[in-house]
Amino acid sequence: SWRLTDARRKRLEEVINQRTRHFTMVMEDLKDPHNISAVIRTSEIFGLQDVHIIEEVNPYNVSKSILCGSIKWLNIFKHSLRLDCMNHLRKSGYQIAVASSQKGVPLDEMDLSKPTAFYLGSESLGNHPETLKAADVQFRIPQFGFTESMNVSVCAGVLMSTLASYMKRHGRENFLLSEAEKLKLKADYFERSSVGFEQNSPITKMES
């Protein structure tokens, strides 16, 4: 049975009305579950509805303590093969943008009017060479110190803050979900809020 107060329903609808799929985060073979969970949590905070996780090298197990409940408000897609993930994203209309500290277009000079999937690579090795080679664009976050790289979850936070500013400048209403997507999400949110997400999992294991 549904046990949602009117205030809770209103809050869920407010969040749904700010959700976007114009941008999505893709984590490729990250090792530290804390980093993955931090990126997922930050994605939820900034209103990104989808997150993709590539597990070709390192499997990810959900860390509920770090996620702080954020997982049940998202759609998380787990891919066993990096090539399958990229093909899926391209078919969905995304340009592939891969972080590169060595070269690349400064983030604030990218064409963000296109739906974009931002790839974040493993803590020690970065993105796979095949991924870098196949990217539509390599990007970098401008920095002014001696240190050449930043923590991946910090990078994701800076990235999403920049994307939020971009959408605000260009009208966030232009990047939001369709009415059909909102209705589907509302049904998911109401169910997960009422009975949990064991029967309506936010995690989809993509077939290879």
Side-chain angles (χ1 to χ4, degrees):
S1 62
W2 304 109
R3 294 187 296 274
L4 295 179
T5 64
D6 288 342
R8 184 60 170 169
R9 286 175 181 269
K10 182 180 178 182
R11 179 60 182 146
L12 292 175
E13 289 176 354
E14 286 174 349
V15 169
I16 290 167
N17 286 332
Q18 294 299 318
R19 282 298 201 241
T20 182
R21 287 193 163 103
H22 187 79
F23 301 118
T24 187
M25 296 292 124
V26 184
M27 289 171 278
E28 183 176 31
D29 293 326
L30 268 64
K31 295 179 181 178
D32 190 340
H34 288 73
N35 281 333
I36 299 174
S37 298
V39 174
I40 291 172
R41 186 176 170 187
T42 306
S43 295
E44 198 285 316
I45 289 170
F46 278 100
L48 276 61
Q49 184 57 38
D50 297 342
V51 176
H52 295 263
I53 299 171
I54 298 170
E55 304 181 294
E56 189 155 335
V57 176
N58 301 310
Y60 168 64
N61 296 311
V62 174
S63 177
K64 292 183 179 180
S65 62
I66 306 169
L67 289 170
C68 295
S70 60
I71 189 171
K72 65 183 177 182
W73 310 120
L74 297 173
N75 293 94
I76 297 172
F77 301 91
K78 297 171 76 172
H79 304 262
S80 58
L81 297 174
R82 60 179 60 89
L83 184 59
D84 288 351
C85 179
M86 189 173 289
N87 288 338
H88 169 79
L89 290 165
R90 282 216 168 100
K91 287 178 183 177
S92 300
Y94 288 98
Q95 67 171 338
I96 307 300
V98 181
S100 173
S101 61
Q102 302 300 318
K103 59 181 180 178
V105 179
L107 178 60
D108 55 4
E109 295 179 17
M110 276 185 62
D111 179 4
L112 298 176
S113 65
K114 301 176 182 177
T116 306
F118 287 92
Y119 273 64
L120 303 169
S122 72
E123 295 85 347
S124 56
L125 300 174
N127 288 105
H128 193 276
E130 290 179 0
T131 302
L132 282 164
K133 185 177 180 181
D136 297 309
V137 59
Q138 293 185 29
F139 75 94
R140 59 183 172 85
I141 294 174
Q143 52 196 56
F144 308 96
F146 290 111
T147 308
E148 291 189 359
S149 63
M150 64 179 75
N151 172 274
V152 65
S153 62
V154 173
C155 176
V158 173
L159 173 56
M160 283 185 259
S161 179
T162 302
L163 300 179
S165 296
Y166 173 85
M167 287 188 284
K168 182 178 180 179
R169 289 197 309 274
H170 292 83
R172 191 177 178 98
E173 66 274 9
N174 295 311
F175 302 94
L176 303 180
L177 301 183
S178 68
E179 291 305 312
E181 288 175 310
K182 288 179 183 178
L183 285 172
K184 173 66 168 66
L185 198 57
K186 183 187 290 188
D188 289 339
Y189 277 14
F190 282 7
E191 182 174 0
R192 292 172 191 167
S193 187
S194 179
V195 299
F197 58 82
E198 284 72 19
Q199 299 176 36
N200 181 353
S201 177
I203 302 172
T204 300
K205 180 72 174 176
M206 302 297 285
E207 297 295 329
S208 298

